[in-house]
Amino acid sequence: MEKAAIDALLKEMQAPTRGEPTPRVKAIVDRIVRDLFYVIDEYDVEPSEFWSAVNYLTQAGRNDEYGLIAAGLGFERFLDVRLDAAEEAAGLTGGTPRTIEGPLYVAGAPLCKGEARLDDGSEEGEILIMHGQVRDTDGRPVAGAHVEVWHANTRGNYSFFDKSQSPFNLRRTIETDAEGRYRFRTTMPSGYAVPPEGSTDTLLKQLGRHGHRPAHIHFFVSAPGYRKLTTQINIDGDPYLHDDFAFATRDGLIPAVERNQDPDAIAEAGLNAPFARIAFDFELRSEAVALPSAEVQRPRAEAA
């Protein structure tokens, strides 16, 4: 079809017929529909292909995989990059790089002061101690900041979604001490893949891509007067470190992993076996007016 004929059809279809439309919603939906009409015409999408796509989207909703699909198609990364650009344009510099939240956060994890143990002791795995400091971009410690942390177990599964794990296993909120310090003990997480033969896996295979993520640990870091930081660190040495299907690997978020077998260091850490250590400091940017919020509103799981 000629573009003019498509545009004439769209004009007829998109004219309000009852009540006042919401301008922003209407503008965005009209643009999406127009672009999809163009795609259907340009690629000569047949009716059976169109309805196959509708059925795919319906099934993806039933599988609750839209969060994975949004990450796998790069939408979460794109939104982060846009926030980065807005902050840079406003003159905000420094700060720990942000990266995607993913769909596996659960609200309400227990609050601990200064330090915490994340694992419930039910799994055997490499012991990991991670510690550091929360500071502002001028290097001043941020006391009382909340470091929310969550990660997968040694099988790549997250508590709450994996009902075999205890509630809030590998999930805590740590309040930094007077010097902005935090510390936690846990078991080294494993990477994971999207559900095999699920909606995300089906789409990625059609695109010639895999659905694997490297081992990583998620964080929200927040404090009054500062922009909330959503980020994660990736575990150095993972085979998918720079081939993450969710595009979450960023420079500055791959800290060194120190493996320690020294008996004195083991005893000093209060352990009786070799362990790994990661030191990582978070740097928060001050809040600023006229910027998109760094507090993203989205549906999140809540434990009963």
Side-chain angles (χ1 to χ4, degrees):
M1 294 177 63
E2 295 291 332
K3 285 290 191 295
I6 297 175
D7 291 342
L9 186 61
L10 286 166
K11 183 177 180 180
E12 177 185 347
M13 292 176 170
Q14 294 174 347
T17 59
R18 181 177 300 174
E20 288 296 320
T22 303
R24 181 170 174 81
V25 172
K26 178 168 170 47
I28 292 172
V29 172
D30 285 356
R31 173 62 181 269
I32 291 171
V33 172
R34 186 199 73 176
D35 289 351
L36 285 175
F37 274 30
Y38 287 174
V39 167
I40 289 170
D41 189 62
E42 181 177 348
Y43 288 91
D44 195 20
V45 175
E46 297 179 5
S48 59
E49 293 176 310
F50 174 84
W51 290 110
S52 176
V54 170
N55 182 65
Y56 169 81
L57 294 172
T58 302
Q59 190 60 50
R62 289 175 180 154
N63 295 345
D64 196 21
E65 288 196 40
Y66 280 129
L68 290 173
I69 292 170
L73 292 181
F75 285 104
E76 271 205 275
R77 175 63 186 274
F78 178 59
L79 293 171
D80 284 344
V81 171
R82 292 190 76 247
L83 268 177
D84 291 345
E87 290 177 347
E88 183 179 355
L92 296 185
T93 58
T96 300
R98 64 168 47 87
T99 194
I100 72 168
E101 173 186 337
L104 300 170
Y105 171 80
V106 177
L111 174 64
C112 304
K113 303 283 189 176
E115 61 181 296
R117 179 167 177 174
L118 308 190
D119 68 292
D120 62 8
S122 62
E123 275 195 309
E124 290 188 8
E126 183 178 22
I127 298 170
L128 170 64
I129 292 176
M130 184 166 172
H131 61 91
Q133 189 180 42
V134 178
R135 300 191 297 265
D136 65 17
T137 53
D138 293 320
R140 294 180 295 244
V142 180
H146 280 191
V147 178
E148 297 182 69
V149 52
W150 70 100
H151 67 78
N153 66 4
T154 59
R155 298 178 179 84
N157 298 322
Y158 286 76
S159 62
F160 181 84
F161 303 96
D162 171 15
K163 300 306 181 184
S164 71
Q165 297 185 50
S166 62
F168 293 113
N169 187 40
L170 307 174
R171 301 177 186 272
R172 289 295 185 275
T173 297
I174 304 169
E175 185 176 304
T176 60
D177 66 14
E179 297 300 318
R181 293 172 300 198
Y182 75 92
R183 181 181 185 274
F184 61 82
R185 170 185 167 177
T186 189
T187 51
M188 186 70 76
S190 172
Y192 67 85
V194 299
E197 308 307 321
S199 300
T200 312
D201 188 41
T202 297
L203 177 60
L204 291 174
K205 285 176 179 176
Q206 291 286 326
L207 300 176
R209 294 177 50 206
H210 67 76
H212 291 273
R213 294 218 61 205
H216 57 280
I217 301 175
H218 292 272
F219 297 93
F220 285 153
V221 187
S222 58
Y226 297 93
R227 289 180 65 73
K228 182 175 182 178
L229 173 65
T230 300
T231 195
Q232 58 187 265
I233 59 113
N234 283 353
I235 305 302
D236 198 11
D238 190 285
Y240 292 99
L241 184 62
H242 296 289
D243 190 19
D244 179 3
F245 96 91
F247 309 106
T249 303
R250 303 193 71 172
D251 292 340
L253 297 176
I254 311 173
V257 181
E258 171 197 332
R259 258 88 185 189
N260 206 317
Q261 299 186 11
D262 179 66
D264 292 336
I266 293 171
E268 184 181 352
L271 304 173
N272 55 15
F275 67 98
R277 186 195 305 271
I278 293 176
F280 190 83
D281 295 336
F282 297 99
E283 191 175 272
L284 298 182
R285 293 176 170 179
S286 296
E287 191 54 272
V289 298
L291 273 177
S293 176
E295 176 70 71
V296 177
Q297 302 298 322
R298 58 184 283 185
R300 296 182 175 95
E302 292 189 29

